[in-house]
Amino acid sequence: NAGVMQNPRHLVRRRGQEARLRCSPMKGHSHVYWYRQLPEEGLKFMVYLQKENIIDESGMPKERFSAEFPKEGPSILRIQQVVRGDSAAYFCASSPLGGADTQYFGPGTRLTVL
Amino acid sequence: AQSVTQLDSQVPVFEEAPVELRCNYSSSVSVYLFWYVQYPNQGLQLLLKYLSGSTLVKGINGFEAEFNKSQTSFHLRKPSVHISDTAEYFCAVTQETSGSRLTFGEGTQLTVNP
């Protein structure tokens, strides 16, 4: 059973461009979470999705950020008009159930905004 | 609201020495507690978790943690560390009532020296 897959692993964008980060959960997992890790900091929750539904987006910035988890295909975290402050590692996690079920993390996408 | 404090940002130890990484949390409701390890440029791997029952929890790689409700702590311990234990360690908490959102501490960098 392959683990959580994220691509790309590294992404470089210039200010004002769009960034699309993809996450394929583990097989059989229908719950996906996105976290952001700024340099020298811990992980901060962004959004929690189930198939086709956003369950909790309390950690998402109000503008420029969006997430989806369609019925088919990976979950996508989209950042429009990136700024230097968006430079961070973005981690996706998945679990078969919600609640306190263990979240399995992907290797992350490291976004650098020039 | 919930929060996690990891009291030490860096812990240097010699190989085969014991180590304790400290974690305190605050929450007004019952919580579930986790320790994750992050090796350089990788995602997070679950070491152990406390959901209920015995307050002493054993995890992978010889680590264990003790849940202390009165002191709101969940310290991680290992009796004898190896060079390969060098990594960043994160304590995390989720509440029974907050769904699946994990709140992480700032992390503790454990460096094991020969």
Side-chain angles (χ1 to χ4, degrees):
Chain A
N1 189 4
V4 177
M5 311 275 285
Q6 288 188 250
N7 67 79
R9 293 291 307 274
H10 299 275
L11 182 62
V12 179
R13 286 287 178 267
R14 296 191 180 281
R15 281 180 296 172
Q17 291 184 319
E18 178 180 286
R20 282 185 180 240
L21 288 62
R22 294 175 184 77
C23 169
S24 296
M26 289 178 71
K27 189 176 181 180
H29 289 195
S30 60
H31 298 250
V32 165
Y33 317 83
W34 286 92
Y35 294 85
R36 176 165 65 175
Q37 184 178 32
L38 294 168
E40 308 299 323
E41 293 188 16
L43 280 76
K44 298 287 193 290
F45 169 80
M46 299 182 76
V47 63
Y48 163 34
L49 311 104
Q50 276 185 276
K51 283 286 187 181
E52 301 184 274
N53 290 305
I54 296 175
I55 308 301
D56 180 357
E57 56 181 349
S58 58
M60 285 280 270
K62 293 289 184 281
E63 297 177 349
R64 302 187 297 109
F65 285 72
S66 62
E68 62 176 8
F69 189 17
K71 187 175 180 180
E72 302 291 338
S75 175
I76 306 285
L77 179 67
R78 182 182 178 205
I79 311 172
Q80 294 178 288
Q81 300 176 326
V82 295
V83 300
R84 289 220 173 104
D86 297 333
S87 294
Y90 292 82
F91 290 96
C92 167
S94 74
S95 67
L97 303 170
D101 202 17
T102 298
Q103 295 181 24
Y104 296 85
F105 282 78
T109 294
R110 278 154 183 83
L111 172 66
T112 301
V113 180
L114 301 177
Chain B
Q2 61 201 28
S3 66
V4 177
T5 302
Q6 290 184 242
L7 297 160
D8 306 294
S9 60
Q10 302 208 25
V11 174
V13 294
F14 288 109
E15 195 173 16
E16 297 183 9
V19 71
E20 178 180 81
L21 306 183
R22 297 181 292 169
C23 173
N24 286 89
Y25 69 92
S26 67
S27 174
S28 56
V29 299
S30 296
V31 295
Y32 304 122
L33 294 151
F34 306 79
W35 274 100
Y36 282 87
V37 60
Q38 184 181 29
Y39 298 101
N41 298 316
Q42 294 187 27
L44 277 70
Q45 180 183 5
L46 181 70
L47 278 177
L48 48 80
K49 63 182 178 182
Y50 172 79
L51 302 182
S52 65
S54 173
T55 56
L56 183 62
V57 181
K58 293 192 182 296
I60 63 171
N61 300 343
F63 283 93
E64 64 181 30
E66 185 156 19
F67 171 58
N68 188 319
K69 188 174 182 179
S70 62
Q71 302 204 357
T72 61
S73 67
F74 190 54
H75 301 333
L76 181 70
R77 301 186 184 98
K78 186 169 182 178
S80 176
V81 294
H82 302 289
I83 299 284
S84 59
D85 292 323
T86 295
E88 187 93 20
Y89 291 79
F90 291 97
C91 181
V93 63
T94 188
Q95 295 176 333
E96 283 182 328
T97 55
S98 71
S100 304
R101 182 175 68 226
L102 285 173
T103 298
F104 284 87
E106 297 295 310
T108 298
Q109 173 64 44
L110 173 65
T111 302
V112 182
N113 298 301

